[in-house]
Each structure stands twice: as C-alpha cells, then as structure tokens.
Amino acid sequence: MKIHHLRSATFIIESGDKFILIDPMLGKKGSMPPFSVIKAKAAKNPTVEMPSNADERLSKVTHTLITHSQTFGIKALQHGDHLDSAGEEFLTSSNIPIATPAKDKAYLEKYGLTVNWGIGNWQTIDFLDGKLTAIPAQHGHGWIHKIMANGVGFFLQLPNEPTIYISGDTVLTDDVRRALNELKPDITVVAAGCAHMDVGQPLLMSTDEVMEFIRLSPNKVIANHMEALNHCAVTRSILKESIDKNGLLDKVLIPADGETLDF
C-alpha cells in the first residue's frame, strides 16, 4: 500500500490497480472564502496550491471516499475543504464511483455525482474485494457539531494490505476509541489541525486529544489536515513539538504535500 498525501485531508490510497481518493479538495489556492475572520487571519482557502505531482496522481484515481459533504442540504454550506467545486467537477467528469455516509448520498446524487455506496454508522459493506466500515464522527465539541452536520470516518480492509482507519473530521469520542481498540488498524489517519470557526468550540481534536489518539493507535499514525486552511491553528511544526514532548515521534508520520508513504 502507498499513501499519496496531496493537501490538507486530501490523499490517495494506492493498492494494486486501485487508487482511492479521499476527500477531494482540488481547487486552486484562494478559490474559497476564509472559514474564520476573527480567530484567525482572514486568508482565502485553500491557503496553498496543490503539489506539482497532483495531476499525475489524480489521473489514476479509480474510486473515492468522502467522509462528509452536506450541511442540511444547503449547497452554500457544503464542506468545501473535503469536497469543493473542483473536486465535484473531477468526480463527475470522470464518473468516479463514490462511497459516503448514507445521509449524504441523495445530496451528492442531486449534483450529478456517482454514489455507489451510502454507508450507515457502524455498517460494514463489501468494497473492492474487501470491506469498508463507517465509524461515526462528531464534528466539533459542544453544540457546534450539530450545525456542522457530522460525517463518518472509514475503516478500510483490502486484500493483502494493511488495514487503515481514516478518522475524518471528528473530536475524540467513544466511537473513535472503539474503532481503535476493537478494529486495531495497522494505519490510522488523524485530522490534527484543530480547526475552529469564529463561534463555538474547536471542530477537531485538541492537541491533547490527538496525543491520546496516537497512544491508542496500535501502530503507525499519519497526521493530516494542516497548513492548508486558514481556520486550522496547529501546524506541522507545532504538532511535531507536541509529539516529541510526549515521546511519540516513532509512531507518527507527518507527510509534506506531495509526499508518498510506503507501507
């Protein structure tokens, strides 16, 4: 298995002739508005361009997993950092089959995307000669997660490959702990940028929660969702410092944009 990290939460899992794109935010730098204008510098998103090797990687994509997209069915509130207009265009023009939370299936189909699999919380389906399980995600602390419209994480089991758990946008919950303790993934991917809006509590795990997530992970951890969105306060260097202080550096990989990880 290879993991091709592109930007933020967007990456590709390569397994044999299958290339599975995760949460496609593919637009140019500055193609979306700021997600925070008070608690963070009001920079347009994404704050960085896609890496130079992105087109070559994307040309091989065969399937897509989208952890979350719609909020109350309102297009203007779509989670563009996981599916933006460029991502939609890419998926529709290439007719890429999608797996997504069951609650988002009709919404995505409304805009012409090919959703082959809508998965309920803790449901396991057959997927690419393997299995795919949807792990409930809570997109924020306190009341704000209800407004953010929670998605899922994915636990992917492919033949003759390491198992991988993608947390999605979530705080640390009993469901996340259950996934780590019961499913015992070989690779975990954690959204570590500690995103926050101008109101409410953080939308992702705090640094302390990320440290607990790493400790609970049985094997290697990939940290992403950093340095591409103006509302994500935790950078790679900040995270690495915290990981080092907690004696966890040997467990964690923090890929640069465009980097490939081999497992």
Side-chain angles (χ1 to χ4, degrees), residues 99-259:
T100 200
K103 71 179 185 64
D104 289 355
K105 186 175 188 293
Y107 170 82
L108 294 179
E109 290 175 334
K110 177 181 176 181
Y111 294 102
L113 281 77
T114 303
V115 184
N116 288 23
W117 305 273
I119 315 177
N121 287 344
W122 287 111
Q123 181 184 3
T124 299
I125 63 166
D126 294 330
F127 184 77
L128 304 184
D129 298 320
K131 300 289 184 181
L132 183 66
T133 303
I135 311 300
Q138 181 179 314
H139 200 342
H141 288 281
W143 58 266
I144 199 165
H145 81 88
K146 297 179 180 179
I147 295 175
M148 295 303 293
N150 302 313
V152 301
F154 287 114
F155 177 67
L156 177 62
Q157 302 163 275
L158 295 175
N160 304 311
E161 294 282 22
T163 58
I164 181 169
Y165 168 40
I166 303 159
S167 76
D169 278 10
T170 188
V171 298
L172 190 62
T173 65
D174 289 342
D175 285 307
V176 173
R177 292 185 180 93
R178 175 185 168 188
L180 296 171
N181 291 327
E182 294 184 9
L183 301 177
K184 300 188 183 306
D186 297 309
I187 305 165
T188 58
V189 182
V190 61
C194 197
H196 57 269
M197 307 295 281
D198 287 331
V199 296
Q201 296 183 57
L203 308 177
L204 301 175
M205 296 181 204
S206 67
T207 299
D208 286 344
E209 287 177 303
V210 172
M211 295 306 116
E212 183 178 347
F213 181 98
I214 295 168
R215 291 189 189 97
L216 290 172
S217 294
N219 299 291
K220 287 292 186 181
V221 181
I222 300 171
N224 69 6
H225 210 308
M226 291 175 287
E227 297 186 20
L229 301 165
N230 87 300
H231 69 326
C232 287
V234 173
T235 63
R236 289 177 174 95
S237 61
I238 290 172
L239 181 66
K240 186 175 182 180
E241 183 178 350
S242 296
I243 293 169
D244 190 19
K245 286 180 179 178
N246 284 272
L248 296 168
L249 274 180
D250 60 331
K251 286 188 73 173
V252 186
L253 301 166
I254 309 176
D257 293 353
E259 183 176 353

Side-chain angles (χ1 to χ4, degrees), residues 7 25-34 42-50 84 228-229:
R7 178 180 63 184
M25 178 181 69
L26 306 181
K28 293 184 179 297
K29 177 182 177 181
S31 56
M32 292 185 291
K44 290 185 177 181
N45 291 303
T47 58
V48 295
E49 295 286 7
M50 289 285 276
D84 62 2
L229 301 165

